[in-house]
Amino acid sequence: MSRLIRIMIKLAALITFSILFLIIGYILVKGLPNIKPSLFALEYTTENVSLFPAIVTTIIMTFLSLMIAVPIGIFSGFYLVEYAKNGNKLVNIIRITTETLSGIPSIVYGLFGLLFFVTTLGWGFSILAGAFTLSIMILPLIIRSTEEALLAVPDTLREASFGLGAGKLRTIFKVVLPVAMPGILSGIILGIGRIVGETAALIYTAGTVPKIPNSLFSSARTLAIHMYALSSEGLYTNEANATAVILLIVVIGINGLSSYFTKKLLKGNYNG
Amino acid sequence: MDKIKIYNMDLYYGKFHALKGINMNIEEKCITSFIGPSGSGKSTLLKTLNRMNDLIDDCSITGNIFLDGLDIYKHIDVNQLRKRVGMVFQKPNPFPMSIYDNIAFGPRTHGIKNKAILDDIVEKSLKDSAIWDEVKDRLKKSALSLSGGQQQRICIARALAVNPEVLLMDEPTSALDPISTAKIEDLVQELKESYTIVIVTHNMQQAARVSDKTAFFLSGELIEYNDTETLFSIPEDKRTEDYITGRFG
Amino acid sequence: MDKIKIYNMDLYYGKFHALKGINMNIEEKCITSFIGPSGSGKSTLLKTLNRMNDLIDDCSITGNIFLDGLDIYKHIDVNQLRKRVGMVFQKPNPFPMSIYDNIAFGPRTHGIKNKAILDDIVEKSLKDSAIWDEVKDRLKKSALSLSGGQQQRICIARALAVNPEVLLMDEPTSALDPISTAKIEDLVQELKESYTIVIVTHNMQQAARVSDKTAFFLSGELIEYNDTETLFSIPEDKRTEDYITGRFG
Amino acid sequence: MKFKFKEKFMEIIFFISASISIISLILICVFMFANGIPAIVEIGFFKFLFGKDWSPTNIPPSFGIFPMILGSLYVTGGAILLGVPIGILTAIYLAKFCPEKLYRCLKPAINLMAGIPSIVYGFFGLIILVPLTRDIFGGTGNSILTASILLATMILPTIISLSEAAIRAVPKDYYEGAVALGATHERSVIFAMLPAAKSGIMSSIVLGIGRAIGETMAVVMVAGNQARMPNGILKGIRTLTANIVIEMGYAADLHRETLIGTGVVLFIFILIINGIFSVLKRKVV
Amino acid sequence: TGENKAKDVSKDNGAFDLENEIVAVTREEGSGTRGAFVELFEIEEKAQDGTKIDKTTKEAITQMKTDTVLTTVAGNEYAIGYVSTGSLNDTVKAINIDGIAPTVENIKNGSYKIARPFNIATKDNLSELAKDFINFIMSSEGQEVVQNNKYIAIEENTSPYSGNKPSGKIVVAGSSSVTPLMEKLREVYLEINPNGEIEIQQSDSSSGMKAAIDGTADIGMASRELKDSESAELKSTAIAIDGIAVIVNNENAVENLTKENIRRIFIGEITKWSEINK
Ligand SMILES: Nc1ncnc2c1ncn2[C@@H]1O[C@H](COP(=O)(O)OP(=O)(O)OP(=O)(O)O)[C@@H](O)[C@H]1O
Ligand SMILES: Nc1ncnc2c1ncn2[C@@H]1O[C@H](COP(=O)(O)OP(=O)(O)OP(=O)(O)O)[C@@H](O)[C@H]1O
Ligand SMILES: [Mg+2]
Ligand SMILES: [Mg+2]
Ligand SMILES: O=P([O-])([O-])[O-]
């Protein structure tokens, strides 16, 4: 029995990581030979098909979206778990709605963003419209992972804190949050994944201009859109493959940075 | 003088009637102990005194509890209440942070930031709870690496660090050895000078040793409440007598 | 006859020397109690007997422990060891499942699937741990909804359900009221007929009451180990005497 | 006083955050429903939902999405069947079986997996998986099976990350309790810790299913996208989301609205799945 | 014509097997490429009463982009599909139709008939820069760019560009098929007129038209004819012709198919390569 369990667990892990390394291998084999200096030119032309502006945009887009979605998402999680009474109908409605929305294809978010941010609010195709749309898209993910992480914190810790006369706020920020942070972080990382990999929602909101943006109201394209745009007519397949490699590196970088910052943040919290 | 008055209190967990028509007054600067078999509602009543039951969703309460004449459910801010009415729990529950930060948590909560003052409070609280010598060299280590008994004493130190008026202790020594227990008992006696103390205990010797008044609970009812000496020597109720003489069950 | 032999054992948590040169034999079908102040290493030694310390990363052990003459680190499969040497913990830790499933967990682990047999085991174990009457109507309810004392008795029942040869108990009654405690103590006496029992306790009365042999620990050392009567009446070591007479500190 | 003000103030901030979340979620819903419902009404509820012919550009057009409803069911079902067990087992591996050193490599790898864009998965599927399944199982390769495998791969990071976090959050008391009963490491983890992590694992599955249903860019490349009734897992199929993304770019007027109406159907679809899950969750206490 | 030179070897060694089913790869309903393809091959049946039915077999694999059609056909020996001639590359083989190759000359001289226009659409009150840019596109310089990129120039107006190089900024948005050409046009134009700023938003034909209608874009791009609702508000101009090539896998020996064969393959009447020419 135990052997069977162990074999199954190891087999599953083996499958997961084989597929993963197969994908990474595929990306590298296809992409590495096509990486050349001209891809990193400051300005995009149809000759060099530079992906440099897209790198800059990806980083800006990710952090802007996280800056909007992470606080709102975590705070919403706080509200749902720590403030709203359990069995509260509203909480259940929100929970079900967030989970349901996580299954709506991103193109629907894109069309919504187009109608609301781009047209109604008059922001035009812009990084800002893109970031807001993406934020709405990843909110459910962050809210849910925050909720789960908070629920997993033992109540004895809350009791201890309340018992010392600490208010809710202090209890949440100083006791509960540090314990819950790893869980929240994994939600954030999944969110980053969606931001970095998103295409459909951004085409309709941030646009596809291959330039380094000079304001939040400029249109610009992320690496994923760059790749999509390059590949779609079958004209720049090699460059698209090279972009995938750079995309991987950027994802690793952004993930690393967010883990680093979360750890920093936590350290600060313990001594508060 | 009565520090706390409980008036006609009923408590339900959902439909389960956990406390039934409790009326009792708890005297100021005096040690009151709650005794009774497991499940009789001692912890529940204790928690009600600083409204820790608020945290349990399906817990509903009727009746009134007064602290210094003010209804704790109506006239006192709950955080202020809990600052004034501190608590030590049955299971040790140190925060997952360093020993120092555990003790400093309360004072910091109430606005003390000065490092020197905090250091003093931490040292004093740890000494008072008879654990200073064991941990003084590893104040920066996580409190979770300590043994059960040590953890519980950290929790007592943590409660003392906010200088409460009333101290609620739910079997605070159930995880301690006799020596630490004796120290805590001594400490409790000392604290009596300036604090009102309510202590839940299974150890009738302990109740007899430390407390001035004792309340005996059974199935959610307050069966008998009297001076400790009287209760243990000439109990009025047959059930109390049976319980304290071990003839019970 | 000796069930367990501990030979020249040292245990370190990282660099902290938690147990120092322990040599002792634990007799079969006999109750041995470990006493000593908090942090003296009682729980640590107890855990070593069924290799629960394996779970702690930086814990390293030298010396040997034999169960029925076989080295538990070399000649016995660790899961078989733990089946044979059961354990009840200091903090109640029922699984987050129904009361029934908690008790049935062990038997199921060891291959019992028949519902009728399981039912019998569950009922018998719960009765033996003096909690059957309180929970018989809610066996399908979560064990977490019980009070601390009730939870601990569930854990005792859970340990009994696998029919171990040796039963290690780490302050099993520290969360129980005197009546339940008395029941458990009686039970322990009964179990002695067929099991070897090691019990950690802070309650010297308990140690004196239930155990045949008592070991006194201090700062990781085994100070004195003798028949309970002898140890409590004519302790050989000054430190033991100081401790049991409460003069310690 | 200042203290109370801060408490109240932050509570209001939290409430506003929750409200912003709710409002934006409601806005999306309103947007979908306002655009989608009229089309569904115009076509006729039953004709839309249970019509088997999807020919939006014919004159007169025909808007039946039943094949796509089945398509989504099949592909998502396949992805769940493959992805959920592998995901949970891998999460268990990472949380409880993986050596510390290896973990430090594997964890970022999983995070990376979550960061690979759908279109990269799509190309991987089209170039590697499609020929592979064609050679092994036959058929064209652009099939329900391939789409399920690809989707299963894509939901792995969601399920693994969230389940792993849930398993790690389980207090070690449970594990110790089981081990002390003679249970092996494996048994203790599966039978004592998993139940304690149930809630977190369930929600990882729900989010994974959401991802599977909502995923488009990759599925579109490998599923074949035939808008007809499914006829075998080695044949292609079109999912609801694929239908939206494939045609949205060219659709106008009623056609466009039916596509958003398809989104509404998806929404209700997932709502039902979530409903089933929350009932399950309550039952399995 | 339409003869098969395929090696008829046994199925076992993985060589081309004529008995294998044909895998037809089509584009999505409403794609400009598909619209032109089904119309020109008479796969779409138009009746007098105004009904119009696209009879493309429901078994055809639908891909939503040119590149995935190319990849699918390149990865499947038995596949057949169609793409814009501008996107052809050597991973697949373009076949002759009724003996005529899909070359620029053949499209231009009208012997190869399978082509569709690239359109731009605008509202009435255009900015100076937009007007000037359109003038450039339609000028001989602009049309030369079209031709240099494997598309076919619009014959009419070929007078040279003579603008006043206005400054400003315009947005061009729409079809991804038109975008690569538009990017080239933009680059050449900006060399002539460095004062201007042109942003190209690549999405799809419908979004382009929508953007042009509500003013988010100055010029919309479409790879199809405008819908009635769109042409009510926009004026469209063809800026280039794009040929459509029928493609098969490089392993496939077929070099030439009749128009009728292709029609029957795509409506599902011919399902095996061996059935061709029967
Ligand atoms: N959160 C809860 N929900 C439902 N029932 C509860 C809850 N907490 C306690 N109870 C029940 O209320 C009764 C009283 O519990 P309480 O913890 O007050 O007992 P106690 O006297 O402190 O017992 P012990 O000595 O075992 O700690 C018990 O029957 C218990 O099962
Ligand atoms: N996991 C651990 N890592 C490091 N040190 C530990 C660990 N567990 C226990 N210790 C230390 O080892 C010593 C002995 O601990 P142990 O838990 O055995 O004491 P004990 O006699 O059972 O005390 P108590 O009566 O308080 O339970 C203590 O000083 C404790 O701080
Ligand atoms: Mg209690
Ligand atoms: Mg101990
Ligand atoms: O088929 P199109 O992408 O050219 O419209």
Side-chain angles (χ1 to χ4, degrees), chain D residues 23-228:
Chain D
I23 289 170
S24 53
L25 303 180
I26 289 176
L27 271 179
I28 297 257
C29 296
V30 167
F31 165 79
M32 266 189 332
F33 281 75
N35 280 281
I37 298 285
I40 298 179
V41 171
E42 188 176 334
I43 295 159
F45 182 74
F46 279 96
K47 254 184 152 170
F48 181 64
L49 228 50
F50 298 108
K52 290 182 187 165
D53 184 35
W54 176 262
S55 310
T57 51
N58 284 356
I59 301 175
S62 163
F63 297 105
I65 61 165
F66 195 58
M68 276 86 88
I69 292 181
L70 291 183
S72 278
L73 269 178
Y74 283 9
V75 171
T76 312
I80 293 168
L81 231 52
L82 295 170
V84 168
I86 293 184
I88 293 177
L89 289 172
T90 306
I92 296 172
Y93 177 78
L94 288 178
K96 294 287 150 192
F97 287 80
C98 183
E100 178 68 29
K101 271 197 185 134
L102 191 58
Y103 181 79
R104 258 180 262 144
C105 309
L106 294 186
K107 181 65 191 178
I110 292 292
N111 290 340
L112 181 62
M113 195 173 186
I116 298 176
S118 313
I119 47 169
V120 176
Y121 278 106
F123 278 111
F124 169 76
L126 191 55
I127 292 172
I128 309 282
L129 288 183
V130 165
L132 205 66
T133 51
R134 182 170 59 231
D135 292 347
I136 298 174
F137 302 103
T140 62
N142 291 66
S143 60
I144 294 179
L145 180 68
T146 314
S148 298
I149 295 175
L150 186 61
L151 263 189
T153 309
M154 296 179 69
I155 63 173
L156 281 179
T158 308
I159 295 183
I160 293 173
S161 300
L162 298 180
S163 296
E164 192 210 330
I167 294 169
R168 282 191 186 273
V170 174
K172 69 174 193 312
D173 299 10
Y174 297 132
Y175 177 75
E176 285 184 347
V179 166
L181 291 169
T184 54
H185 179 61
E186 291 80 9
R187 248 194 115 82
S188 309
V189 171
I190 301 276
F191 294 106
M193 295 191 74
L194 275 201
K198 195 183 60 204
S199 153
I201 292 178
M202 286 280 215
S203 74
S204 84
I205 295 177
V206 167
L207 284 177
I209 292 178
R211 178 90 211 262
I213 295 178
E215 174 51 47
T216 38
M217 289 315 199
V219 176
V220 154
M221 294 194 204
V222 299
N225 305 315
Q226 291 93 338
R228 48 112 180 85

Side-chain angles (χ1 to χ4, degrees), chain B residues 11-14 16-19 35-47 53 56-59 90 170-171 200-202 217 219-220, chain C residues 134 138 144-151 153 175-177:
Chain B
L11 184 145
Y12 295 81
Y13 289 120
F16 178 69
H17 201 168
L19 288 175
I35 62 170
S38 180
S40 59
K42 308 177 296 293
S43 299
T44 301
L45 180 59
L46 198 74
K47 280 190 201 163
N53 277 333
I56 296 167
D57 269 335
D58 63 347
C59 170
Q90 196 164 2
D170 194 344
E171 303 179 40
V200 171
T201 178
H202 277 120
F217 292 85
S219 317
Chain C
E134 282 157 75
R138 40 175 174 165
L144 297 180
S145 67
L146 301 175
S147 80
Q150 291 168 326
Q151 286 190 10
R153 282 180 284 153
L176 300 193
D177 61 301

